[in-house]
Each structure stands twice: as structure tokens, then as C-alpha cells.
Amino acid sequence: MSTTRVALRPAINDAIETLRTAGVHSPQADAEHLAAHVLGVERTRLALTPLVPPGKLAEYRELVDRRAQRIPLQHLTGTAVMGALDLAVGPGVFVPRPETELLYAWALAQLEALPHDHAPLVVDLCTGSGALALAVAHARPDADVHAIELDPAALAWARRNADDRIAAGDTPITLYADDATDPTLLTNLDGRVDVVVSNPPYIPEGARLDPEVAEHDPPIALFGGPDGLSVIRRMIPNITRLLRPGGGVAIEHDDTNGSALAALLAEHGEFTDIVEHPDLAGKPRFVAAIRT
């Protein structure tokens, strides 16, 4: 049996150039993530695997070619990260973005400020893959987490991820096939919820999108009407009645809509401490507020 092995780093360097030429925004990171995926190692440990079997190199080059076609990295690896979790994603569900980690961190900080003898009640509107809801439930096993998703395809991914987390020993979340804008949504929780989080459809119709988004993320998870706020606007009354006084909400939004969303919450008259939060690139990313 042949024990021939070939150098990995030249293949990664070639992949970086291939992806850069294809217009991929993070060619080095993506090339290294794909190599780590093929080898089953952490990206930070690639240097410890300088030589690989030719078959692995062929598998790697095939994935690089598919990434160069602007198929999302997460569709190729089958996972996306939120908090401490690797979640299953693929065709039919919105891929969670790293920017949403900031909203997740805000939610954990809100829960940390609660009395320690209080079991937190959390609602995730438009949960998609279940990313925010499951990450919160993992970090706070004492929390009662409810997650809403309208799209059946996305809900199937959320259920798969929820089942995986139960198998791993996490506290179950409660999933609902429902519309986050339905006025009768979760009326049994009115005035009791500590934190509402949402990464809803918020892209204005007609916006120019990268191929990874335009061709692979489901439109129902992307577009929020002409101004990007149509879904959010109809969620606000539900959020208002669900939250207890002093409860908090954080809503992700298009980077053109931070001030407009803050104004919507202010106009509603039931929120205070309305704060616009930027992402790590300095772009407006989510608005948080406290129920009066």
C-alpha cells in the first residue's frame, strides 16, 4: 500500500488565489476552513498536518472549486457557528452570520443581570436554523426558550438542530410553526418574557446581494418589504405585549435601517433605553431597547 503524501500548504495557497479571483470576500479564511473540514481538524491546527494523502487533496480541491462557484462555505461544511455551538445548515435555511454573535452576547448580558433565583423566559422570533434560541439555551440551561419560525424548510433544520442539542444533553427549547407577526402569537406568555431576540427578514427589496445570499439563502428569510422594515414593524406589537416591564428586546436589521428601527420603537411609546449597536466593522447591526 502506498504511503505517499503531498504537501498541504501549496494547495491552500492555490486555493486562496482561486477564491480571491472568484470574488470570495475572505479567501484565506475560507481556504483554510475547507482544508480543516476535509482533514477533520481545527483550523488553528493545520500547521500540524503539513502532508496529506493525495485523496484528501483531491477532495479539498473539489470543495474549493465549489466555493469558487460562490456556494456558501457553510453549505460545503454543513455547519455554522453560533456561540459555543456548531449548527447544521444547508439549502432551505438562512445561514447565521458572525455579526449575530453580538446580538447573542447582548442577550446573555441581559439574562446575567436577572436575579439568580429567577428562571429566564426567552423568545426568539424568526429563528431560522434555531441558532439564537439554541445558543441561549446552551449557555443558560435554566432558561425557558421559545422559538418561532414560519417557513417549513427552515423549521425542519431548527428541529434537527434542537434534536441534536437534546442528544448532547442541552435543555430542550420549544419550537413553534407560526408567524412572528400573528397578533395571537404566544398570548399565554404576555407580560412575562425577559428577553426577545430576533434576526428577521430585513433586507429591502431590490438590494444588490452577493451570490452566496441571492442564490442560496431562502428569500422568505431575507426580504422585509420595500424599506426592509415590514416584518419588523408588524412584530413590534407582539414584542411589546410579550415583554414584562424591564424586559429587553434586540432586533437585527439592515445596515441602512438602524435609526429607522430605533425611531419605530420610540414612536411606539413603550420602550426606553433604545440603543443602536454597530457590528465589528462599525456598520449598524441591531437595536436594543427596554420595555417600560
Side-chain angles (χ1 to χ4, degrees):
M1 180 181 295
S2 173
T3 58
T4 302
R5 289 177 172 258
V6 291
L8 176 62
R9 180 47 62 177
I12 291 177
N13 291 339
D14 289 345
I16 292 170
E17 289 308 311
T18 297
L19 298 182
R20 181 178 289 117
T21 300
V24 172
H25 293 307
S26 51
Q28 179 172 343
D30 285 22
E32 292 177 352
H33 277 302
L34 288 174
H37 171 69
V38 168
L39 297 176
V41 301
E42 297 291 330
R43 179 186 171 197
T44 54
R45 299 182 67 82
L46 283 174
L48 302 179
T49 315
L51 301 175
V52 299
K56 288 291 185 183
L57 206 59
E59 181 183 349
Y60 174 59
R61 285 172 172 152
E62 180 181 349
L63 285 178
V64 170
D65 288 344
R66 294 178 67 196
R67 183 69 187 98
Q69 296 167 24
R70 306 302 290 272
I71 296 172
L73 173 71
Q74 296 86 351
H75 284 198
L76 299 176
T77 64
T79 61
V81 175
M82 182 59 61
L85 301 183
D86 289 330
L87 300 162
V89 293
V93 71
F94 179 80
V95 174
R97 305 310 200 252
E99 293 83 1
T100 306
E101 296 270 0
L102 299 172
L103 190 155
Y104 162 68
W106 176 92
L108 290 190
Q110 290 296 115
L111 297 178
E112 186 62 29
L114 296 174
H116 290 294
D117 60 351
H118 175 81
L121 183 56
V122 179
V123 171
D124 178 12
L125 299 175
C126 307
T127 195
S129 64
L132 279 170
L134 292 166
V136 169
H138 177 77
R140 290 296 301 259
D142 58 329
D144 182 12
V145 181
H146 299 254
I148 313 300
E149 178 53 52
L150 177 65
D151 181 35
L155 191 63
W157 284 101
R159 287 199 172 110
R160 172 180 170 180
N161 283 317
D163 289 344
D164 287 347
R165 295 318 310 163
I166 291 172
D170 277 357
T171 303
I173 67 171
T174 306
L175 282 169
Y176 302 82
D178 216 329
D179 184 345
T181 69
D182 183 347
T184 66
L185 179 72
L186 298 180
T187 53
N188 60 311
L189 301 183
D190 283 359
R192 297 171 49 205
V193 177
D194 296 297
V195 170
V196 173
V197 292
S198 185
N199 184 7
Y202 59 64
I203 297 175
E205 292 172 357
R208 295 185 63 183
L209 303 173
D210 290 331
E212 290 89 342
V213 179
E215 298 172 15
H216 297 281
D217 277 328
I220 192 173
L222 297 177
F223 298 107
D227 63 356
L229 292 170
S230 64
V231 175
I232 294 172
R233 193 176 284 112
R234 289 182 289 133
M235 288 196 318
I236 290 176
N238 284 349
I239 294 168
T240 305
R241 65 173 173 78
L242 285 170
L243 284 172
R244 62 166 176 79
V249 59
I251 306 170
E252 191 165 319
H253 57 76
D254 187 73
D255 59 19
T256 63
N257 273 334
S259 297
L261 174 51
L264 280 178
L265 291 170
E267 289 164 10
H268 199 272
E270 302 287 348
F271 294 95
T272 186
D273 297 325
I274 301 169
V275 179
E276 300 175 41
H277 292 262
D279 61 21
L280 296 178
K283 295 181 179 179
R285 182 53 52 196
F286 73 93
V287 171
I290 302 299
R291 176 79 161 86
T292 55

